[in-house]
Amino acid sequence: MNFRNISAWSIRNPVPPIVLFIALTLAGIVSFMRMDVNDNPDIEFPAAEVIITQPGAAPTELETQVTQRVEAAVRGITGVDEITSYVGEGSSNTTVQFTIGTPVDRAVNDVREAVSRIRSDLPDGILEPQITRIDVSGGPLGYFSVEAVDMTLEELSWYVDDTVAKRLLNIEGMSQVTRGGGVSREIRVILDPVKLQAQGLTAVDVNNQLRAVNLNAAGGRAEIAGSEQSVRVLGNAQNAYDLGQTQISVGAGRTVKLADIADVRDMYGEQRALSMMNGRQVLSFGMRRAKGYSDVTVHDEAMKVLDQLRKENPKVKFTELFTIVDYVKGQYHSAMDAMWEGAVLAVLVVFLFLRDWRATVISAIAIPLSAIPTFWFMDLMGFTLNGLSLLALSLVAGVLVDDAIVEIENIVRHMRMGKSAYQASIDAADEIGLAVLATTMSIVAVFLPVGMMPGISGQFFKNFGLTVVAAVLMSLAVARMITPLVAAYFLKSHGESAHGEGRLMDLYMNTLRWTLVNRWKMVGVGALAFAATIVAFMTLPMTFQPSINTDYSQVAIEMAPGSTLKQTQDVANRVSEVLHKEPEVAAVFADVQQPGEADIFITLRSDRKRTSVEFERATAPKLTAIPDARINFQSQGGFNGRDLNVTLVGNDPDKLNATAIEVVNQMSTLTEIRAPRINGDLQRPEITIHPRFDLAADLGVTTNALSQTIRIATLGDIDQNVAKFSLSDRQIPIRVAIDENSRRTLSTIENMPVPTTSGGSVPLKVVADITFGAGPSAIRRFNQERRISIGADLAPGLVSGDATPKIDALPALKNLPVGVSRAVMGDAKWQAELIQNFVIAVIAGVLLVFAVLVLLYKRVLPPLVNMGSLLLAPLGGALALHLTGNSNSLPVLIGILMLLGIVAKNSILLIDFAIEEMDKGVDKMTAIIDAGHKRAQPIVMTTVAMVAGMVPVSLSLSGDGSFRAPMGITVIGGLIVSTLLTLLIVPAAFSLADGFEKRIGPRLSRLLTNGGERGHPPEPQPAE
């Protein structure tokens, strides 16, 4: 048994194929029921993050003392691809990205060892460095606000941290629950600067003595009265009052009670962040799932836990502010709907053409038998039901029935020649077997390289390409084994009758004869079509991916450096008021992350008239009118929340900044963009302290003592160095610092007591000059160089392809000064990698199609005709995009990929039949005309079925069709035009190619082979 007669074997032995497909279908059902539903596939992203915190440290000092040393330490690790750093006030974050394929655990360990080697070179005042693995498992599942009428803000914060977070983290697959806003309980020791100075004490002295006194410690072991006892030292105060009674040594044998120099309170830490819902302060928390779990399942389990908490605490109100899961569910149901709707429409096409309900039923059986086992193969490969695998299933909805249509149409044609259903099934299946194999392999050849792409993009598109491959291979197996089998026993023969006749067929045959007479004219038509394709695509605007229409939006607020929490809150309230007036807005949640920075999360009404992008473009001017802040909507596809970004890097900060300003000035002249500006990196106000080294040396005051005294007095010591207050369920810090109001006058800082080596203290202003200055609010670095990012938004109605070429052509970017270069990073780098890999995959796919055809025909020139037909594929898609007002984007490229496979499929059906007829001795002209007559109907049927299958994808009546619709439109337009051109141009081109091959073949044979030896049989040799 070979592949050509596998259908005959299945017909004669029906039990094995039936058992096989029942088993595959059951396996597919079981796999489908247990597959996770996610927004994006889980990917292996080898990266580690180094977080080093030094409270109160300025970005400039952190960059030189911490960040640059960390970058130098990790640079030499094998496999490092990129190093990106962000230095803010009191914090240095360095992300080390490794090349794909590097084991993540090994990479994290290498980073940890590198940082530990330089730990002694880092400043003393830092918290212990945190080295964490970066797990890419999508964004937050959702954000919730929490309100309570019977709890204080501190009690509600602890309720979220202790009860809510613990219950949610018990859910399988929940990896992180983070609180936003609220406060944390602390014992505040609020020092009186005047009393401190009177006693000759410093904030450092008080903090160190509390650390030494207020603790419970181990005391060893004793044996008294014949039994063993452990010894404990209990020095921890029972409450804030007891702590206030602690005696603080002031030297010379004197002590003072803590309560006499400070106000000791059991309260909460200084509030540096807050959350507001409809103008009221609330708490919020976000949830993230672990890698390998379902977005939908984890979210639904979390909702059950929150429902239980509502029952236990009726006065606590949970409100869902944002969730990605609703969008994921909508896309899942939309893709499933598109699959069955497309399948039903494809089956109706079969009935309209064949007018035989039995043949229609057989075609309909092929769809579930192809689709359901595909889920089993997806499960074996570790795929989930995510955006890309669902996109693949939507794309193949019309393809799954194609092979069955070709088989059943050929069987019906043989039956109408007077054969029985049994004999017709055997003869027809054997006749068309290799052609069906080749047509399916052409689609496999196109999509297999996509599934094998390297890099980050390859991890995403593996789900897409291999799902398509599995689905079409299953459709091939059904078409070769099940369709002929069922046809042989289910169809009824009605004797000889006409097949594929009618006025349209007569018109096509007359046109085909004309094209075979005017072959060069048809080749010219093909060349014009290719030229029109180039023009059509060059005039389409280009963007990476279309904007999606979601029920959520986000606004970023950036205040002037030095803004207070109250000022940031006021601006956030004004933004919320503007947004509340828009008819599309259902709810507004403000999250002030820190003074000067805030995010506004907007929930949009589902019954709105404008899309989320249209709402953002229309509302943005109203927000930019609010003074004293930079306010912009967060772009869906941009880096740093802007539609367009330009990143410059260099070692000279002044030259880099001057270049960035010049680029911004030139970008401001472009009408395609709005509000170009440098992202962040503004100068913030500072108070600078310059030690008077001569006086400081005389008094024994060191720079380190100055820094430590000021930091502890104004902020409190770092968490690992503060005294702790023990409760039954936790320890809370004892924060020693001066009153927040005292920090508002410069004289308080000037008179701050600083310790001397003699044990006394002097006012700060005696040993240092105190002035006002300015420094960077944040420092961004890329591959050990300073970087500046310039962002801009697109003008209404435009896409990135309209503006990017003009930005690239700006003189400031084309003629960058020495020492300044342009960097491609983040989304831009990923997009460039994806486009490059996609082009390579398409080229590889086309070459694989050529290899399949050479193996099928055992000739070279006819496959070249098939390859030439691929040039006709994109024209209709480009025209359809122009007519519908869509731009060229990633889903369009995916649609073109599918078109290449289908156009190759159509041309194979034509040329394969013609070659088989010519091999039987039929002359070329008759063979080509007969191929057109017998293959036109299955080609048109498969095309119409595919178009019908793509209609639900293009319309996207349910869910967001922003990504799928352009793909469906491209496929529909391309199919219609390319099928028409294929039926007319391919026969003419094949006729020319066959004649050329027969003329030049013998000459090449004589030139390149030893043709003389072929005519002489080998002489017999004597046995040894």
Side-chain angles (χ1 to χ4, degrees):
M1 179 187 72
N2 56 40
F3 195 86
R4 179 185 286 271
N5 59 21
I6 191 173
S7 300
W9 176 85
S10 298
I11 292 169
R12 297 187 180 101
N13 303 276
V15 174
I18 291 173
V19 171
L20 172 64
F21 275 89
I22 288 175
L24 287 173
T25 303
L26 291 174
I29 292 172
V30 172
S31 296
F32 176 76
M33 293 175 66
R34 71 181 189 182
M35 287 180 76
D36 293 336
V37 179
N38 290 332
D39 184 25
N40 289 311
D42 287 332
I43 64 171
E44 285 295 330
F45 184 73
E49 185 176 26
V50 181
I51 303 173
I52 298 179
T53 303
Q54 186 179 10
T60 307
E61 280 68 50
L62 274 176
E63 180 189 30
T64 55
Q65 298 175 14
V66 175
T67 308
Q68 291 182 0
R69 292 179 177 179
V70 171
E71 290 175 344
V74 301
R75 178 76 265 183
I77 297 175
T78 304
V80 171
D81 182 27
E82 287 183 358
I83 302 175
T84 307
S85 296
Y86 174 84
V87 188
E89 181 182 353
S91 177
S92 168
N93 289 44
T94 300
T95 301
V96 186
Q97 181 179 331
F98 292 82
T99 54
I100 300 300
T102 304
V104 180
D105 294 333
R106 193 209 77 189
V108 174
N109 285 333
D110 288 347
V111 172
R112 185 174 287 111
E113 290 174 5
V115 174
S116 67
R117 285 195 295 269
I118 63 162
R119 178 64 181 86
S120 59
D121 298 330
L122 300 178
D124 293 335
I126 65 170
L127 296 177
E128 197 61 30
Q130 299 177 30
I131 295 90
T132 58
R133 166 180 172 172
I134 295 179
D135 278 325
V136 181
S137 57
L141 292 182
Y143 286 104
F144 295 80
S145 69
V146 190
E147 301 173 75
V149 295
D150 60 342
M151 295 185 192
T152 65
L153 188 60
E154 186 275 324
E155 290 171 339
L156 186 59
S157 301
W158 177 242
Y159 175 75
V160 171
D161 292 341
D162 184 54
T163 304
V164 176
K166 286 180 180 177
R167 296 277 282 274
L168 289 174
L169 289 171
N170 283 333
I171 297 172
E172 186 179 10
M174 184 73 74
S175 69
Q176 191 177 35
V177 177
T178 54
R179 170 169 61 85
V183 292
S184 298
R185 185 178 173 185
E186 286 184 354
I187 302 295
R188 299 285 298 276
V189 178
I190 304 171
L191 300 171
D192 186 323
V194 176
K195 293 180 179 178
L196 269 185
Q197 191 172 4
Q199 296 291 342
L201 286 171
T202 66
V204 178
D205 295 332
V206 177
N207 186 69
N208 289 341
Q209 290 192 47
L210 286 179
R211 284 183 60 196
V213 171
N214 193 80
L215 79 162
N216 294 339
R221 185 172 60 239
E223 293 183 13
I224 299 174
S227 63
E228 187 175 282
Q229 298 89 16
S230 61
V231 181
R232 296 168 59 203
V233 179
L234 302 179
N236 197 54
Q238 297 300 309
N239 50 50
Y241 175 80
D242 290 344
L243 183 66
Q245 304 306 305
T246 304
Q247 296 294 319
I248 304 296
S249 173
V250 294
R254 295 185 301 109
T255 61
V256 63
K257 196 163 53 176
L258 179 61
D260 292 339
I261 59 171
D263 185 8
V264 183
R265 298 181 187 175
D266 186 349
M267 50 186 300
Y268 49 82
E270 180 184 355
Q271 190 166 10
R272 301 282 292 171
L274 56 86
S275 301
M276 293 176 294
M277 182 75 173
N278 298 326
R280 301 190 314 276
Q281 187 172 167
V282 297
L283 262 69
S284 66
F285 64 88
M287 305 181 303
R288 288 179 180 268
R289 68 168 175 87
K291 186 182 292 186
Y293 291 89
S294 166
D295 289 342
V296 174
T297 303
V298 174
H299 176 268
D300 290 348
E301 290 300 315
M303 295 305 294
K304 293 177 183 177
V305 170
L306 293 181
D307 288 338
Q308 183 63 34
L309 288 171
R310 287 189 184 99
K311 294 176 182 177
E312 296 173 4
N313 302 275
K315 292 183 180 180
V316 178
K317 180 183 178 183
F318 296 95
T319 304
E320 189 168 56
L321 305 170
F322 161 82
T323 179
I324 191 64
V325 174
D326 289 341
Y327 182 80
V328 174
K329 288 180 178 179
Q331 294 302 92
Y332 166 75
H333 291 300
S334 180
M336 291 294 118
D337 291 344
M339 277 191 68
W340 71 259
E341 288 165 1
V344 169
L345 289 173
V347 170
L348 288 176
V349 168
V350 177
F351 181 75
L352 290 174
F353 274 89
L354 298 181
R355 303 296 175 89
D356 187 329
W357 71 269
R358 291 177 181 269
T360 304
V361 168
I362 296 172
S363 300
I365 290 173
I367 296 174
L369 289 182
S370 303
I372 295 175
T374 301
F375 293 115
W376 181 57
F377 289 103
M378 291 171 64
D379 194 27
L380 287 179
M381 291 184 285
F383 296 168
T384 61
L385 295 173
N386 55 69
L388 287 164
S389 59
L390 291 173
L391 185 71
L393 294 173
S394 300
L395 191 62
V396 299
V399 178
L400 294 181
V401 76
D402 275 11
D403 291 337
I405 286 176
V406 173
E407 291 272 3
I408 201 68
E409 192 277 340
N410 207 35
I411 291 170
V412 169
R413 182 174 66 83
H414 276 262
M415 284 171 55
R416 291 175 179 172
M417 293 166 56
K419 299 178 182 178
S420 67
Y422 188 91
Q423 190 60 44
S425 298
I426 292 177
D427 294 347
D430 287 351
E431 175 188 271
I432 207 168
L434 287 182
V436 170
L437 173 64
T439 56
T440 301
M441 287 302 158
S442 67
I443 295 181
V444 171
V446 168
F447 281 95
L448 187 60
V450 175
M452 306 298 288
M453 288 194 305
I456 297 291
S457 56
Q459 294 193 54
F460 276 99
F461 276 86
K462 177 171 68 173
N463 289 257
F464 174 78
L466 297 185
T467 298
V468 173
V469 168
V472 296
L473 287 177
M474 282 307 307
S475 74
L476 172 66
V478 172
R480 297 300 295 136
M481 299 176 73
I482 298 300
T483 301
L485 164 62
V486 179
Y489 295 100
F490 187 64
L491 286 181
K492 286 188 176 181
S493 178
H494 301 287
E496 291 190 31
S497 62
H499 178 76
E501 303 296 339
R503 285 182 295 177
L504 286 176
M505 180 61 75
D506 293 341
L507 175 64
Y508 170 65
M509 296 310 297
N510 292 331
T511 307
L512 179 61
R513 291 187 180 94
W514 183 87
T515 61
L516 292 175
V517 174
N518 300 274
R519 296 177 297 178
W520 284 107
K521 290 182 180 179
M522 296 311 300
V523 172
V525 171
L528 287 175
F530 180 59
T533 302
I534 296 174
V535 173
F537 273 101
M538 288 181 65
T539 52
L540 276 174
M542 176 71 185
T543 185
F544 181 68
Q545 64 179 18
S547 299
I548 62 176
N549 180 24
T550 68
D551 289 337
Y552 301 94
S553 188
Q554 184 179 347
V555 174
I557 300 174
E558 182 183 6
M559 303 284 292
S563 298
T564 64
L565 184 68
K566 180 66 168 62
Q567 291 168 338
T568 310
Q569 181 182 1
D570 291 340
V571 172
N573 285 334
R574 294 182 64 181
V575 172
S576 299
E577 290 171 4
V578 172
L579 293 171
H580 269 301
K581 295 176 182 178
E582 297 299 318
E584 291 86 359
V585 174
V588 176
F589 171 75
D591 182 21
V592 181
Q593 303 165 358
Q594 63 182 22
E597 291 183 13
D599 284 321
I600 309 293
F601 296 94
I602 308 160
T603 304
L604 301 175
R605 299 183 189 278
S606 56
D607 58 348
R608 63 186 182 276
K609 295 181 181 179
R610 292 185 292 188
T611 66
S612 57
V613 175
E614 291 170 345
F615 158 76
E616 291 172 2
R617 296 274 172 90
T619 312
K622 301 177 184 177
L623 299 181
T624 54
I626 297 175
D628 303 326
R630 291 176 172 179
I631 306 170
N632 60 275
F633 282 95
Q634 293 290 86
S635 170
Q636 294 176 0
F639 179 60
N640 288 329
R642 308 297 299 276
D643 292 331
L644 302 167
N645 286 275
V646 176
T647 301
L648 302 177
V649 297
N651 282 320
D652 187 340
D654 295 332
K655 184 188 291 187
L656 186 63
N657 193 57
T659 305
I661 292 172
E662 180 62 26
V663 172
V664 170
N665 292 335
Q666 294 186 14
M667 289 174 68
S668 300
T669 63
L670 301 178
T671 58
E672 290 81 6
I673 61 177
R674 297 286 186 269
R677 60 173 178 256
I678 297 173
N679 296 323
D681 300 343
L682 298 174
Q683 294 288 303
R684 64 168 192 169
E686 295 179 340
I687 294 175
T688 56
I689 300 173
H690 301 277
R692 298 171 183 168
F693 292 108
D694 49 351
L695 284 174
D698 290 340
L699 295 172
V701 176
T702 64
T703 303
N704 185 56
L706 287 176
S707 168
Q708 191 177 25
T709 300
I710 298 302
R711 188 187 75 243
I712 292 177
T714 56
L715 291 178
D717 206 349
I718 57 178
D719 286 350
Q720 66 194 35
N721 289 342
V722 297
K724 300 294 192 300
F725 187 79
S726 298
L727 300 176
S728 59
D729 54 352
R730 55 180 161 149
Q731 281 192 320
I732 58 176
I734 300 174
R735 190 77 58 190
V736 177
I738 64 173
D739 186 20
E740 295 173 23
N741 292 325
S742 299
R743 295 183 311 202
R744 294 175 181 170
T745 59
L746 186 61
S747 60
T748 303
I749 296 177
E750 289 176 334
N751 293 303
M752 197 74 66
V754 179
T756 64
T757 53
S758 62
S761 66
V762 294
L764 174 63
K765 63 183 180 182
V766 173
V767 293
D769 293 321
I770 303 168
T771 59
F772 288 100
S777 58
I779 295 173
R780 295 167 173 83
R781 296 172 59 82
F782 178 69
N783 282 347
Q784 297 182 279
E785 291 184 302
R786 282 276 188 100
R787 71 175 170 93
I788 286 183
S789 179
I790 302 165
D793 295 322
L794 288 166
L798 299 183
V799 295
S800 58
D802 297 316
T804 301
K806 295 189 177 182
I807 294 175
D808 294 339
L810 292 174
L813 285 176
K814 294 185 71 174
N815 304 293
L816 291 171
V818 177
V820 177
S821 58
R822 189 171 176 182
V824 179
M825 58 180 296
D827 289 351
K829 179 181 179 181
W830 185 82
Q831 292 170 10
E833 175 195 274
L834 175 59
I835 296 297
Q836 177 185 346
N837 288 341
F838 215 84
V839 170
I840 294 173
V842 169
I843 295 172
V846 169
L847 294 177
L848 283 174
V849 170
F850 181 72
V852 168
L853 296 176
V854 170
L855 291 174
L856 174 67
Y857 299 147
K858 299 181 178 64
R859 297 167 66 177
V860 175
L861 283 183
L864 289 178
V865 175
N866 289 109
M867 304 311 294
S869 70
L870 300 183
L871 301 177
L872 309 175
L875 175 59
L879 296 176
L881 292 171
H882 274 288
L883 290 174
T884 55
N886 282 284
S887 57
N888 190 9
S889 58
L890 180 60
V892 171
L893 298 180
I894 294 173
I896 291 174
L897 207 62
M898 176 57 80
L899 282 174
L900 295 178
I902 295 173
V903 171
K905 195 172 187 176
N906 292 340
S907 61
I908 288 171
L909 289 174
L910 278 172
I911 294 177
D912 176 72
F913 190 91
I915 290 176
E916 283 201 3
E917 291 293 296
M918 291 165 62
D919 289 343
K920 295 175 183 177
V922 179
D923 68 277
K924 180 172 66 177
M925 183 70 74
T926 304
I928 293 175
I929 291 175
D930 196 29
H933 182 258
K934 290 186 170 63
R935 290 290 182 256
Q937 179 161 307
I939 288 174
V940 172
M941 284 179 67
T942 54
T943 298
V944 177
M946 183 67 186
V947 168
M950 285 289 103
V951 166
V953 175
S954 303
L955 295 178
S956 295
L957 298 177
S958 62
D960 175 40
S962 305
F963 197 90
R964 295 195 307 269
M967 180 187 71
I969 291 169
T970 303
V971 172
I972 289 175
L975 279 173
I976 294 172
V977 175
S978 64
T979 299
L980 180 64
L981 294 175
T982 298
L983 287 172
L984 297 176
I985 295 176
V986 167
F990 172 70
S991 177
L992 284 171
D994 183 73
F996 181 73
E997 186 181 54
K998 287 179 178 176
R999 285 195 300 273
I1000 200 173
R1003 298 178 186 177
L1004 289 176
S1005 177
R1006 289 192 297 272
L1007 181 65
L1008 301 175
T1009 67
N1010 55 353
E1013 293 185 7
R1014 289 181 303 186
H1016 303 286
E1019 296 181 2
Q1021 300 293 326
E1024 295 183 0

